Structures are given as C-alpha cells and as structure tokens.
Amino acid sequence: MKLATIDNGTPDGALVVVSADGLRYLGAGTIAATLQAALDNWAEAEPQLRGLAERLAAGEGEDTSAIAFAAPLPRAWQWLDGSAYRSHGELMETLFGTEPPPPGRPLMYQGLSHRFLSATADVPFPREEDGIDFEGEFGIITDFVPMGVSPREALGHIKLIVQINDWSLRALAPIEMKTGFGWVQAKPACSVAPFAVTPDALGDAWAEGRVHLPLAVDWNGEPFGKAEGGPMEYGFHELVAHAASTRSLCAGTIIGSGTVSNANFREVGSTCIAERRGIEMLDEGAARTGFMRFGDRVRMECRLRDGGLLFGAIDQQVVRG
Amino acid sequence: MKLATIDNGTPDGALVVVSADGLRYLGAGTIAATLQAALDNWAEAEPQLRGLAERLAAGEGEDTSAIAFAAPLPRAWQWLDGSAYRSHGELMETLFGTEPPPPGRPLMYQGLSHRFLSATADVPFPREEDGIDFEGEFGIITDFVPMGVSPREALGHIKLIVQINDWSLRALAPIEMKTGFGWVQAKPACSVAPFAVTPDALGDAWAEGRVHLPLAVDWNGEPFGKAEGGPMEYGFHELVAHAASTRSLCAGTIIGSGTVSNANFREVGSTCIAERRGIEMLDEGAARTGFMRFGDRVRMECRLRDGGLLFGAIDQQVVRG
C-alpha cells in the first residue's frame, strides 16, 4: 500500500491512498485526515486504508498528475537519523582521522522535524560556501514504540518506508561535529519522496529490516550513484530499538538509514557528494568535485525489480534562500 | 503575563492565563485552544490574552489549586538546547580533556520534543546505572523566526520564558558525545515548570536576553545549588540567531540555556549532579556524590526579588520505567 499527502495549504496536508503505479489516488479523509492521524490510530486505520488500496487496484481513483504532493509527513514530532552504512563511515574515518563508533552501538542524531520539504520543492540555502550536499537515504516511520523494545519487537512497529534527501551543509558539519553536540546549522530540513509505502509493497526486497533495492541519484541530469540499500550494518529494527532504549517513540517517528553507501563505491558511485570527494582525496590526493551551486538539480529514485518507481521521485533544485 | 496549559487528557492540553501570584486562572479557549495555537498566531492572540491577564489582576478567575498543569507545551515541534554557561563548560573540559567550543559559536543540540513532562509527573527511567541526573535550565519559546535573523532581531521573537529540568543519563552521555552525533539515549524527555511567562513579567531581571534571577535546586529536600541565571556567555537572542542561521524556526521552538552555572560554583552550588561530581574530582581527587536513585526527588524554583515564584515549581520523583 502507498500513502501520500496532498498539499492543501494546511500544515499537515490531506491523506490519500495511491495506486501501486502511482497514477491514481483516493482521498482518505473519512478514515484519517492526515498521515499523522492515521499513525496515531494505525491498528484501526490500516485495514480501512487497505480497503481504499483494493478499490484503486480495481481501477477506481482520480488522476495524480493534477495534484501537488507534500512530503508524506510535512512535519513530524521526531526525526532521528542513523549512519548505518559502514563503507561510508569507514571512508570518513580514514579521511578525517575520527574514531569508529563503539561496537554494537548504531550512530544516530536527532534532527529538524518541523518541516519536511516535498520532493519537487525548491530548496533554499543562504550561501553556496556552506558546502551544499545531498544525501540519499531510506527511512522508516513507526507507530508508538514503548521504551525498551527489542529489535524483534521493533520490526512490528515499522509501519511505513520512505525515501529521503537529507540536505547537508558540509562546511559547517565538521565544526559542529567536533563539539560532540551533533548538528544544528549543518542539517536544515530534509526532502521526502511523495509515497510512504507499507513494507509488503517491497515484496522480498524488504528483509531483515533493510531495503534491498538500489537508490539511483542523478546530479544535473548525470548519473552520480546507484548504491544498494541492503548493506546496512544495523537494520531499521535495530535502529528503532536503539532509539527506544531510554524513551518511548511517538507515533510518526521517522528514522533514517544515513547516506546509502556500498563497499564498492568506486563502481556503483555514491549518494552524496562528500563521499565522492572522499574517494577522490584517497585516490587522487585531492577532491576535485565541488559541492552544489544555486540552480543545480538532484534527482533520486528507487525502482522495484519490475521497473516500477517505488516512492515516486525526488527531483528538485537548490536556490538562494 | 503568565500562561499555562491544563492537562485535559488531550496531547496539547488547554491554554489558560494565570494570575501573577499563580493562584487563579481564566480559560483562554476562545482566543486559542492551545499554547501552540497562540504562538502560531501570536500578534493577534497576545493582546487578547493580556485582556484576560488584566481581568485576573482585577480579581477574577478560578482557583488553580484544583487543577493539574501540564508542561506549557506538552509537546513541541522543536527543542534546541544550548550550553551557554562557560563555568560549566570549562569544568567539563578540564575533567574530560575535551576542547573548548570554537570562538563565537554557541554550543547547541537538537533534543526530544514530542513530550515534555509536567513539573510534578513521576519521571520513569529504565536503569539507575545509567547515571540519572537533573539539569536546571532556563529556556525561551519563539514565534516563527525567519532564517538569517540577527541577534537583535531575534530578541523580538522571544515571546515566553520557561524553567526546565533537562533530564540526563550521565553514563550514556560521553559515549554518545564521542561520536560527534550528539545525544539520543542520554537525553530523554525534559520536565517544564507550569508557567510560561512573557519577558515583561521579569521586570529588569530580563536584560540582554538573559534571566537575571537565581535557580534554586533541592535534592531530596536538601539545598543543592542556587546559581544565578545571568552569566550566560551568549544571551538567548544569540542562541536564537545561531539556531536560525540556516533554517527558519517554527513558532513554538523552545531553546534552552544549558545547565545554569556560575564561576563561584563552590559557594553557590550547582544545578546538576555532574557538575558537583566534577568539582569533587578536582578538589578531592574523586567524585563522592552518586547520581539519583529511584524514589529520589528534585525541586527547582526561581523566585522574583519580591519572593514570588515566577514559573511555579518543578517538584518530582524519579521512578523505575
């Protein structure tokens, strides 16, 4: 099942169910006005939403081409981003002389959640000199998660899967990281692809709490990377359990994978510029790829093995803010 | 003017205006159902709320002793916590060999904002071994703040001042801090004193974006510290401008001062146990004060120079979660 949020001018938009091919939708307002409301009451809402999905599968629904999608959750109470791909982490550790994370502890920070940009919105930044970078990620959305859940229990709290562009300002990131406090200035609002999908929509590409599909990134129309989502050191269920160790998680908590990265990044490419620059530093002694300029575009998409676009596409431009 | 939120069983509670002495209240539902709604529309809501405050000053209102207050914002879209008292920072740097923050850059992390506990709620934690500690802070709440505001402009966006207990788990904090990602497990939900007050309620104790009043902390009925709020290295307006450098801030953003601390902490005491333990390590070679145990209570209050309790009191017990 695919869910989405129509931008109707309100802060949380209006919930719709979308057909598997993304071409038609049915309004879900009689079940839940917003995706947050559906997540707050998921056990009751889900079977009713699946009823709409069945009607869509039978051919009902309106044309999606005429409407504007917001992010699935245009704002959320909690966004926790991991960094679960070791090939990315190891590269950064090699380059910057930082230490690897403690064994058995996923990396995670809490980020800006009061606004998630739509997949096609212009993205405003104050300065090119801040080092504007995209980061292609997968993410999940939970219902309410009690404090202290096991990874196994956490798996059942993963209700939706999303695709995220975690915008990063690379000139600011190391300065903030060095304080130990994590990022505020270096991590403005993320963008999210339009469709939030239930795990069953991935078929066997959802396994062990991981998305076993490639995330294709194009920068200004040129292929930049196509890394597989599978090789996370920790699955999303383990990230959920880590986050819920000393707190319960509210319904609508979004947890990110961190930049998708594969050990053979020289072959498959990267999902952020910082990683490509890191590879250049290692291989050529200096980074030759610059960060994004105002007017640059980035496109990110994830296709099922049958070619279908799973989450819809992120395709957007950075602009002077 | 003092605002508060009555716990009416809904996630955001019901907004009320409270008399200066905290003894009477008038419901504000006809103006704004919740404090968040008032902040979303502050320019219109504030003068109307002040109308209720005038009626309270004239003797109207119901008795507050019969009602239960929630935190002023029982949940917020954004909580950014600073660490603006250099005496606390310098002590920690001396003890742990960490580096001071870069000149001109306030320390700040983004924390859990989907739940703020009331001032009297039991506070559940999974394990005493995690090093349960209180942190007495002041905080401010903004209306919408555009990206790139100056500190001077930011001052006008500080609409309310609050008193916060930023609960911390000290055994987890250094492990998370070392990753550079900031804290997730080490920083569960904060507690907030019941009254959020407008800056004018402080009289000349609100100056240069700082609260020039002492924060008294008692642990299990024994005085623990009474540090002055004034000596922040950066005022709240500078913290707001720092936070808004690369993002706009949503209305209802809460920004904290960090643990209130004074250079003469040996005389005035501390507002968190970690600081007292640090002083013991420096002076006696080892920390002899333990962290909190289940059943322990902490009380925090801030009195105006005339003796009036400004924010109401935080007075609560930690329990096994």
Side-chain angles (χ1 to χ4, degrees):
Chain A
M1 177 168 64
K2 286 188 180 186
L3 302 179
T5 294
I6 291 182
D7 182 355
N8 64 355
T10 65
D12 299 300
L15 180 64
V16 298
V17 184
V18 177
S19 59
D21 59 11
L23 299 180
R24 284 167 294 108
Y25 73 99
L26 282 169
T30 57
I31 299 163
T34 65
L35 179 53
Q36 180 65 52
L39 289 159
D40 285 335
N41 187 29
W42 189 252
E44 280 189 40
E46 187 195 6
Q48 298 179 62
L49 295 169
R50 286 194 185 273
L52 295 185
E54 283 168 24
R55 286 170 48 194
L56 286 158
E60 283 189 57
E62 304 295 313
D63 183 355
T64 54
S65 65
I67 56 167
F69 288 114
L73 286 174
R75 57 181 178 176
W77 295 107
Q78 185 165 243
W79 155 239
L80 298 167
D81 196 13
S83 182
Y85 293 91
R86 276 313 293 151
S87 52
H88 180 77
E90 282 169 6
L91 180 68
M92 296 298 142
E93 288 149 25
T94 303
L95 283 168
F96 300 113
T98 51
E99 285 183 50
R105 290 189 70 88
L107 291 168
M108 188 173 286
Y109 69 93
Q110 180 140 9
L112 188 167
S113 66
H114 68 264
R115 183 174 53 253
F116 288 91
L117 301 174
S118 83
T120 53
D122 285 352
V123 186
F125 294 110
R127 291 166 295 273
E128 287 180 342
E129 309 88 85
D130 290 343
I132 301 165
D133 198 0
F134 46 80
E135 276 195 18
E137 306 196 3
F138 295 110
I140 59 89
I141 306 180
T142 70
D143 64 352
F144 174 82
V145 181
M147 181 167 77
V149 289
S150 67
R152 187 195 176 89
E153 291 163 337
L155 202 55
H157 291 287
I158 296 174
K159 300 306 182 190
L160 294 167
I161 304 171
V162 290
Q163 178 195 313
I164 298 167
N165 181 1
D166 173 34
W167 290 103
S168 296
L169 298 173
R170 299 298 185 185
L172 300 167
I175 300 169
E176 294 194 315
M177 193 173 184
K178 204 174 173 193
T179 67
F181 278 54
W183 302 282
V184 174
Q185 294 185 346
K187 292 283 187 181
C190 299
S191 305
V192 189
F195 308 140
V197 308
T198 49
D200 60 281
L202 278 69
D204 62 6
W206 174 249
E208 300 178 317
R210 291 159 170 88
V211 177
H212 295 272
L213 291 168
L215 182 60
V217 178
D218 289 3
W219 179 13
N220 290 332
E222 297 290 323
F224 187 82
K226 197 172 178 182
E228 286 286 334
M232 291 167 78
E233 183 182 12
Y234 301 97
F236 279 111
H237 57 310
E238 293 167 296
L239 299 185
V240 172
H242 176 81
S245 170
T246 60
R247 58 169 79 172
S248 56
L249 308 182
C250 58
T253 292
I254 312 176
I255 297 185
S257 65
T259 310
V260 176
S261 173
N262 295 166
N264 61 338
F265 40 53
R266 287 180 184 81
E267 288 81 59
V268 299
S270 299
T271 57
C272 69
I273 301 172
E275 186 173 290
R276 176 179 281 190
R277 286 169 56 89
I279 297 164
E280 291 168 353
M281 285 187 231
L282 278 189
D283 293 355
E284 305 169 39
R288 56 181 170 76
T289 305
F291 290 110
M292 294 184 89
R293 312 297 298 263
F294 294 135
D296 278 10
R297 298 195 69 87
V298 66
R299 181 180 169 91
M300 300 183 175
E301 60 173 48
C302 171
R303 291 188 183 272
L304 289 164
R305 296 203 187 89
D306 68 8
L309 205 51
L310 182 56
F311 305 101
I314 289 174
D315 193 341
Q316 57 190 166
Q317 174 181 228
V318 301
V319 298
R320 190 183 301 273
Chain B
M1 176 167 65
K2 287 188 179 185
L3 302 179
T5 294
I6 292 182
D7 182 355
N8 64 354
T10 66
D12 299 298
L15 179 64
V16 297
V17 184
V18 177
S19 58
D21 60 10
L23 299 179
R24 284 166 295 111
Y25 75 97
L26 283 170
T30 57
I31 300 164
T34 65
L35 179 53
Q36 180 66 50
L39 289 159
D40 284 336
N41 188 27
W42 188 251
E44 280 189 39
E46 187 195 6
Q48 298 179 61
L49 295 169
R50 287 196 185 271
L52 295 185
E54 281 168 25
R55 287 169 49 192
L56 286 159
E60 283 188 59
E62 303 295 312
D63 183 354
T64 54
S65 66
I67 56 167
F69 288 113
L73 286 174
R75 57 182 178 176
W77 295 107
Q78 184 165 245
W79 156 238
L80 298 167
D81 196 12
S83 182
Y85 293 91
R86 276 315 292 152
S87 53
H88 180 78
E90 283 169 6
L91 180 68
M92 295 299 142
E93 287 149 27
T94 304
L95 282 167
F96 299 114
T98 51
E99 283 183 52
R105 290 189 69 88
L107 292 167
M108 189 174 284
Y109 69 94
Q110 180 141 8
L112 188 167
S113 66
H114 69 263
R115 184 172 53 252
F116 288 91
L117 302 173
S118 84
T120 53
D122 285 351
V123 186
F125 294 111
R127 292 166 293 273
E128 288 180 342
E129 309 88 87
D130 290 342
I132 302 165
D133 198 359
F134 46 80
E135 274 196 17
E137 304 195 5
F138 295 110
I140 59 89
I141 306 180
T142 69
D143 63 354
F144 174 82
V145 181
M147 181 167 77
V149 290
S150 67
R152 187 194 175 90
E153 291 164 337
L155 202 56
H157 291 287
I158 296 174
K159 299 307 184 190
L160 295 168
I161 305 170
V162 290
Q163 179 196 313
I164 297 168
N165 182 1
D166 173 35
W167 290 102
S168 296
L169 298 172
R170 300 296 185 185
L172 300 167
I175 300 168
E176 294 194 315
M177 193 173 184
K178 204 175 172 190
T179 66
F181 278 54
W183 302 282
V184 173
Q185 293 184 347
K187 294 282 188 180
C190 299
S191 305
V192 188
F195 308 140
V197 307
T198 49
D200 61 280
L202 278 68
D204 61 7
W206 174 250
E208 300 178 318
R210 292 158 169 89
V211 177
H212 294 273
L213 291 169
L215 183 60
V217 177
D218 290 2
W219 180 12
N220 290 333
E222 297 290 322
F224 187 81
K226 197 172 179 182
E228 285 287 334
M232 291 166 79
E233 183 181 12
Y234 301 97
F236 279 112
H237 56 309
E238 294 168 296
L239 299 185
V240 171
H242 176 81
S245 171
T246 60
R247 60 169 77 172
S248 57
L249 308 182
C250 58
T253 292
I254 311 176
I255 297 185
S257 64
T259 311
V260 177
S261 173
N262 297 163
N264 61 339
F265 41 50
R266 288 180 182 82
E267 287 81 60
V268 300
S270 299
T271 57
C272 70
I273 301 172
E275 185 173 291
R276 175 179 282 190
R277 286 168 56 89
I279 297 164
E280 292 168 353
M281 285 186 229
L282 278 190
D283 294 354
E284 306 170 39
R288 55 182 171 74
T289 304
F291 289 110
M292 294 183 89
R293 313 297 299 264
F294 294 136
D296 278 10
R297 297 194 71 86
V298 65
R299 181 180 170 90
M300 299 182 176
E301 60 173 48
C302 171
R303 290 188 183 271
L304 288 165
R305 296 200 188 92
D306 68 6
L309 207 51
L310 182 56
F311 304 101
I314 289 175
D315 193 342
Q316 56 189 167
Q317 172 181 230
V318 301
V319 298
R320 189 184 303 271

